[in-house]
Amino acid sequence: MAALATVATGAAAQTKTLYIGMNGGTMEKTYTQYVFPAFEKLHGVKVVVPGTSSDILAKAQANKDSPQMHVMFLDDGIMVRAMGMGLCEKQKPNPHLADLYPAARFKDDLATGVSVGMTGIAYNAKMFADKGWAAPTSWMDFADPKYKGKVVFQSMPSSFGLHGFLMFNRIQGGNDKNVEPGFNNWAKTIGPNVLEYIPSSAKISEMVQTGEAAIFPLTPTAVEALKTKGIPVEYAQPKEGSVVLLTAQCVIARNSEPELAQKLAEFLLSPLAQANVLQFGAQIPTNPKAPAVGEGAEQVAKINQWMKNAVTLDWDSVNASRPAWNARWNKTIER
């Protein structure tokens, strides 16, 4: 684990190491190339992502009494679970906390959002143009008969599917504790329009290109990523609001370098770090003071506008009921 630094004249001091649990791909590349090096230089430490894991939470839980990581990144709903398990320690007061979007500060500052997204509506821009359809404006557009056989919806276990269902449920009169209206009304509204329920969003690009998918839940960031690949999609903010989707960080409780881990968590909220994540990773800062230029500035301006009616889920209630919801979804909707 982290080596203890030795102070010696004329001898190379051992470098302390911080281990970060985070998802791979673009996020890991962005942080390791454009964010961590500045922190390493500032504090004389090494920051390592020790191989990526699809189940960072399980690793943290398994090593709760002797943590192998110092800071971990998780999606917001999973982070709330981690906090409930006692895996996160309170982040110390720092000058950046007050600047964050309110939704990016978790209860008791046990975690903070490092990038913000939201699940709204994405649509096949080519199909809409060819058919002369106006852009969607509401979650209830998924129930419009003209989209019959053209709606693609992610399954309940995925974030996008959960978010879309819970917004539909709210419109039907439910809330994050009561999903009866959503389940009771799905089959006579959105259900008949659905071509396919997909486990993740990986198939979206293919289904847009083949003309199968007209409309589907997705984030602005994911839409931009598809557009850079030439996929004709656009994002629409529903009038009822999108659902906040944060990538969050927490300092792992009882870690071997608590002071350095706290400093890293603070650094990752700074305008400098967040500006680099935006520029090189196209991830939207949770700190609005992060400088943005060009396309990044345009995207941040849009997010700032969309955040005004974005919805934050009651994750304590959702996490408590989600396994039962998933089972019911599979039995009654996606059967």
Side-chain angles (χ1 to χ4, degrees):
M1 268 323 288
L4 294 174
T6 57
V7 181
T9 305
Q14 255 186 310
T15 302
K16 291 183 178 181
T17 302
L18 294 180
Y19 293 92
I20 314 298
M22 68 161 51
N23 290 329
T26 301
M27 174 177 282
E28 180 189 359
K29 182 179 179 182
T30 301
Y31 275 87
T32 54
Q33 291 187 10
Y34 302 107
V35 179
F36 293 149
F39 182 82
E40 291 173 328
K41 187 174 182 180
L42 188 65
H43 293 284
V45 300
K46 183 68 179 169
V47 179
V48 175
V49 181
T52 57
S53 169
S54 59
D55 205 345
I56 297 164
L57 179 62
K59 280 188 173 182
Q61 193 176 10
N63 297 292
K64 183 176 181 178
D65 296 327
S66 182
Q68 305 299 300
M69 298 181 290
H70 298 88
V71 174
M72 64 178 167
F73 282 35
L74 296 168
D75 285 348
D76 45 13
I78 302 173
M79 184 61 82
V80 172
R81 286 173 54 198
M83 290 162 49
M85 294 173 182
L87 299 176
C88 301
E89 74 173 40
K90 183 181 177 73
Q91 292 181 26
K92 291 181 179 178
N94 69 67
H96 308 307
L97 284 174
D99 295 331
L100 302 181
Y101 290 120
R105 288 184 74 168
F106 288 63
K107 186 179 179 181
D108 298 327
D109 288 332
L110 287 170
T112 47
V114 292
S115 66
V116 63
M118 54 190 60
T119 304
I121 303 171
Y123 62 98
N124 184 330
K126 182 180 185 304
M127 182 186 295
F128 271 64
D130 290 346
K131 293 184 178 292
W133 291 340
T137 60
S138 166
W139 287 105
M140 288 310 298
D141 284 342
F142 282 97
D144 190 322
K146 71 170 175 270
Y147 302 132
K148 187 173 178 64
K150 295 290 187 183
V151 168
V152 175
F153 219 91
Q154 293 88 336
S155 299
M156 170 77 83
S158 81
S159 294
F160 299 153
L162 174 71
H163 292 173
F165 173 81
L166 287 176
M167 289 306 293
F168 168 75
N169 178 62
R170 287 184 180 212
I171 295 167
Q172 300 304 307
N175 55 45
D176 295 345
K177 293 181 179 178
N178 173 24
V179 294
E180 292 304 314
F183 276 109
N184 291 340
N185 292 310
W186 187 273
K188 56 191 176 189
T189 53
I190 295 176
N193 284 353
V194 177
L195 168 68
E196 185 177 345
Y197 294 100
I198 55 177
S200 71
S201 298
K203 287 182 68 176
I204 290 289
S205 60
E206 175 190 335
M207 297 182 80
V208 168
Q209 289 175 296
T210 58
E212 295 173 278
I215 182 172
F216 35 89
L218 211 60
T219 64
T221 304
V223 166
E224 290 301 313
L226 289 174
K227 288 171 70 173
T228 61
K229 298 176 182 176
I231 311 298
V233 292
E234 293 292 345
Y235 176 82
Q237 178 75 352
K239 64 184 180 183
E240 303 89 356
S242 51
V243 180
V244 173
L245 178 62
L246 292 163
T247 298
Q249 64 168 349
C250 90
V251 176
I252 294 180
R254 297 172 292 278
N255 79 77
S256 62
E257 294 289 349
E259 188 175 340
L260 274 173
Q262 286 281 350
K263 286 180 178 178
L264 177 59
E266 175 182 344
F267 176 79
L268 296 180
L269 301 177
S270 69
L272 169 66
Q274 297 231 323
N276 281 0
V277 173
L278 171 64
Q279 181 178 351
F280 299 107
Q283 296 183 47
I284 305 300
T286 51
N287 186 341
K289 289 188 175 180
V293 294
E295 291 183 5
E298 293 177 19
Q299 190 71 353
V300 168
K302 289 178 183 176
I303 292 287
N304 287 338
Q305 185 65 31
W306 295 332
M307 281 294 287
K308 291 179 180 178
N309 73 336
V311 171
T312 300
L313 299 181
D314 175 3
W315 279 113
D316 287 327
S317 297
V318 172
N319 285 334
S321 303
R322 196 168 178 182
W325 294 351
N326 289 344
R328 185 174 177 183
W329 173 278
N330 291 334
K331 185 177 180 180
T332 65
I333 291 179
E334 203 175 327
R335 60 186 186 278

